[in-house]
């Protein structure tokens, strides 16, 4: 593993490494949402990605970058579901044992998928501290290699390939690209891809009001913890890391918060108007554009739909 901020060459190498294993997801448009937002929107549909989320990209790049020695005792991560699936899927591809720490309230659809890839799951309370403590205990027992869900440069380089494809495929020069932010792996990767492959494109983030640590960090200049954690967007319930935050601080223009009601409305638009299954976290960037129409009015905007692993038994509409 490199231990340095991904460069253009790093992201290109990551793309070449993961391409044989991922879907080259489509870019969709919607006249209805264009009219509603007064802008020209291009949706990168990572809800149609392997394992149902962009996380497949970073997980694969991280696992495929490990040496045989690092893989010998297996790999481990903590995640509410999408990164868990990504690492379990990737470990299965290389024949490595996989240990996953998941919050006890993780969506059943995500738990079932992780189990389906043959991973060993350990449940814990849904706090960053409990997740890491449980991981550390398992690493001490097994010697597995820990792959952080976002605070890992190989993961960031892998996530950057989504925006790289969006920039290459849309056929326009973007004024802006927006991604959801939790731990910042996708956002920092998106910002780097914009920097290298579409200079002049501004990068924004959408964040739930109920997990608004990134905007606090962005404004204060140091990593902050949200004052409360309560949002339907379960995939974004985590803090920025010391690798993701400096990239975001340097390369991102602004972060916008959205309410759960706005997330659900955006989710409903995507389901009803675009006929695609999108999870709450995946609808956050769309909600942020709709809430901030004045910022994006008349602009060409790329939107990363991060995932579609929604529990169909718990739909919010």
């Amino acid at each position: 593993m490199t231990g340095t901020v991904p460069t253009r060459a790093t992201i290109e190498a990551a793309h070449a490494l993961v391409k044989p294993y991922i879907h080259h997801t489509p870019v969709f448009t919607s006249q209805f949402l264009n009219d509603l937002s007064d802008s020209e929107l291009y949706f990168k549909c990572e809800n149609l990605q392997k394992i149902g989320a962009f996380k497949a990209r970073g997980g694969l790049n991280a696992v495929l970058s490990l040496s045989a020695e690092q893989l010998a005792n297996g790999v481990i991560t903590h995640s509410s579901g999408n990164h868990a699936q990504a690492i379990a899927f990737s470990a299965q591809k290389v024949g490595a044992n996989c240990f996953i720490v998941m919050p006890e309230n993780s969506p059943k659809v995500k738990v079932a998928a992780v189990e389906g890839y043959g991973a060993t799951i350990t449940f814990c309370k849904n706090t960053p501290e409990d997740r890491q403590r449980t991981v550390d205990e398992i690493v001490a027992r097994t010697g597995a290699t820990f792959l952080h869900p976002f605070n890992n440069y190989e993961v960031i380089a892998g996530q950057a390939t989504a925006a790289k494809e969006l920039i290459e495929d849309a056929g326009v020069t973007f004024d802006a690209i927006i991604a959801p932010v939790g731990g910042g792996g996708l956002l920092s990767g998106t910002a780097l891809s914009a920097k290298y492959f579409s200079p002049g494109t501004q990068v924004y983030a959408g964040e739930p009001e109920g997990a608004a640590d990134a905007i606090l960090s962005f404004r204060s200049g140091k990593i902050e913890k949200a004052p409360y954690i309560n949002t339907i967007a379960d995939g974004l319930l985590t803090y920025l890391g010391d690798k993701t935050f400096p990239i975001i601080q340097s390369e991102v223009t602004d972060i916008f918060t959205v309410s759960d009601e706005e997330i659900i409305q955006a989710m409903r638009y995507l389901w009803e108007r675009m006929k695609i299954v999108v999870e709450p976290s995946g609808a956050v960037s769309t909600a942020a554009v709709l809430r901030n129409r004045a910022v994006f009015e008349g602009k060409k905007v790329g939107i990363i739909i991060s995932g579609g692993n929604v529990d169909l038994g718990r739909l919010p509409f």
Side-chain angles (χ1 to χ4, degrees):
M1 292 186 283
T2 61
T4 58
V5 175
T7 63
R8 180 186 179 111
T10 305
I11 295 169
E12 289 171 338
H15 204 188
L17 190 62
V18 305
K19 262 184 179 179
Y21 302 95
I22 63 170
H23 293 314
H24 192 114
T25 54
V27 177
F28 286 173
T29 59
S30 165
Q31 190 59 52
F32 170 81
L33 288 168
N34 284 355
D35 293 342
L36 194 63
S37 64
D38 293 321
S39 53
E40 197 173 312
L41 306 179
Y42 296 81
F43 298 87
K44 178 61 169 170
C45 295
E46 287 294 288
N47 55 310
L48 302 178
Q49 185 51 267
K50 294 277 191 179
I51 68 98
F54 76 96
K55 293 276 191 178
R57 298 171 181 273
L60 277 164
N61 193 50
V63 170
L64 294 173
S65 297
L66 294 175
S67 66
E69 184 180 9
Q70 289 171 312
L71 289 170
N73 293 321
V75 293
I76 184 170
T77 195
H78 56 72
S79 164
S80 65
N82 286 341
H83 180 70
Q85 292 177 71
I87 295 301
F89 168 74
S90 303
Q92 186 184 64
K93 290 296 182 187
V94 299
N97 289 330
C98 184
F99 306 92
I100 303 292
V101 173
M102 299 186 75
E104 54 198 5
N105 61 344
S106 297
K108 291 180 181 179
V109 64
K110 297 181 180 181
V111 173
V114 172
E115 289 175 337
Y117 291 121
T120 300
I121 301 175
T122 301
F123 292 100
C124 70
K125 292 181 180 179
N126 194 8
T127 70
E129 294 79 14
D130 280 298
R131 292 187 192 197
Q132 192 61 53
R133 186 181 308 114
T134 307
V135 164
D136 292 342
E137 291 170 358
I138 296 171
V139 169
R141 187 176 74 248
T142 65
T145 298
F146 174 57
L147 296 172
H148 197 280
F150 53 86
N151 206 40
N152 173 299
Y153 288 130
E154 275 67 37
V155 169
I156 293 169
Q159 315 307 26
T161 64
K164 178 177 181 289
E165 288 180 2
L166 172 61
I167 290 163
E168 292 169 348
D169 294 349
V172 300
T173 299
F174 287 112
D175 298 298
I177 296 176
I178 185 166
V181 60
L186 177 62
L187 179 59
S188 57
T190 297
L192 290 173
S193 276
K195 176 181 181 178
Y196 300 136
F197 305 109
S198 186
T201 297
Q202 293 184 309
V203 174
Y204 296 87
E207 182 174 44
E209 290 177 350
D213 62 291
I215 190 168
L216 293 177
S217 304
F218 193 71
R219 289 174 175 171
S220 74
K222 62 181 189 295
I223 295 175
E224 305 276 5
K225 295 185 177 181
Y228 56 94
I229 299 291
N230 180 28
T231 177
I232 191 173
D234 64 281
L236 304 180
L237 288 170
T238 189
Y239 308 132
L240 299 176
D242 62 3
K243 293 179 174 63
T244 58
F245 177 56
I247 298 170
I248 291 166
Q249 194 175 27
S250 170
E251 306 298 339
V252 171
T253 299
D254 207 352
I255 297 173
F256 302 118
T257 58
V258 290
S259 68
D260 273 14
E261 291 74 21
E262 289 167 323
I263 294 169
I264 292 167
Q265 182 60 72
M267 188 176 167
R268 186 166 192 144
Y269 285 142
L270 294 166
W271 282 60
E272 290 184 345
R273 295 293 180 154
M274 295 178 65
K275 315 304 179 188
I276 53 176
V277 175
V278 179
E279 64 185 276
S281 299
V284 166
S285 43
T286 303
V289 170
L290 295 177
R291 183 173 181 170
N292 296 277
R293 289 177 179 83
V295 176
F296 301 102
E297 183 178 359
K299 295 181 178 179
K300 294 178 174 63
V301 183
I303 294 180
I304 309 276
I305 297 178
S306 56
N309 291 315
V310 65
D311 189 337
L312 296 179
R314 297 171 59 190
L315 285 178
F317 43 72

